[in-house]
Structures are given as structure tokens and as C-alpha cells.
Amino acid sequence: FDTEARTYVKSTDVTKLNLNGREIRNAIQTVVLLAREQKKGQQRDEPKREDGHDDLRVEKDHISIALVQREDFLRYRGKLYKMSDEERQEYFQTFTSFHFHRVPYLHLIDYHCIEH
């Protein structure tokens, strides 16, 4: 985590979300994926460390993106609970296009399995 990311994680913007363990795990997985894909897009031939691990730089933007995705999902889930089966099916078809235009770095990730 870079300094700005560490500060952001401890800020009230993040702590007020009261994430549970599952949400924290999901956010961390998303953040690491974004950092890894960004690095892959920037530096292809960088040597690994002696211990074989990659040096990933987690930035505030990565965390923000993961939290935006969480909020999008919570809104989506909230709408589903209020819908009939027919409305839910129609809404699901429109939601599968997701909100890719809102998320920077998403173009770095291979989402060939998701229909647009």
C-alpha cells in the first residue's frame, strides 16, 4: 500500500462503511487484482524479487474502485429485493452490462466472459 492508500483505508470515508469480514476479503481481492493488472499493463519484463513474489503497488484509486463496486452491488441487491420475478429477470438482463464506464483500470482486466 502506498502512503495515500494507507491513509485512505484509515479515513472515516472507509471506516464508516462498517465492512464485515466477507466484504473486506472481497475488497482486498478486487484491490489486488486491480493493482496486479495495472502493473501487468505497465511493466512486462520487471524481474521478480528474490523470494519470488511480485512487488504490487496498491493505490488509493484501487481501493476507491473496489468500494464503488461494492456500493453498486448493494444498490443492485436492494433493487432485486423489491422486484417481482418478472421485473427481476428484466433488470438482470440490463445489469449484466454493468457499469464499466465508471471504473478506471477496468480496461486492463480481461472480461471476455461477460457480455456487453
Side-chain angles (χ1 to χ4, degrees):
F1 286 78
D2 69 12
T3 305
E4 187 179 15
R6 288 174 196 249
T7 302
Y8 181 60
V9 167
K10 296 174 185 176
S11 73
T12 56
D13 289 342
V14 175
T15 58
K16 71 180 178 187
L17 297 174
N18 294 321
L19 302 174
N20 64 36
R22 178 185 47 79
E23 291 172 318
I24 293 169
R25 184 198 68 214
N26 291 344
I28 290 172
Q29 289 175 336
T30 301
V31 165
V32 168
L33 175 66
L34 289 169
R36 185 172 289 137
E37 291 298 322
Q38 183 182 21
K39 180 180 180 180
K40 196 186 314 182
Q42 292 174 348
Q43 301 171 356
R44 298 245 179 233
D45 299 322
E46 183 177 304
K48 289 190 175 188
R49 298 183 338 194
E50 289 180 21
D51 60 9
H53 293 93
D54 289 330
D55 283 325
L56 291 179
R57 180 181 171 93
V58 173
E59 300 171 0
K60 178 185 174 191
D61 285 348
H62 300 138
I63 299 165
S64 296
I65 290 166
L67 296 177
V68 165
Q69 288 179 329
R70 174 187 174 269
E71 290 301 315
D72 284 347
F73 175 75
L74 292 176
R75 274 192 296 281
Y76 163 73
R77 188 182 67 186
K79 287 181 181 181
L80 287 181
Y81 285 134
K82 299 174 185 173
M83 294 180 181
S84 68
D85 289 340
E86 293 82 20
E87 290 171 325
R88 197 175 296 125
Q89 184 177 8
E90 184 178 325
Y91 183 76
F92 178 71
Q93 290 174 350
T94 62
F95 190 79
T96 55
S97 64
F98 204 61
H99 305 285
F100 290 118
H101 63 280
R102 292 184 57 196
V103 184
Y105 304 129
L106 220 48
H107 66 282
L108 298 174
I109 301 172
D110 182 13
Y111 281 100
H112 66 279
C113 63
I114 298 175
E115 294 180 16
H116 299 284

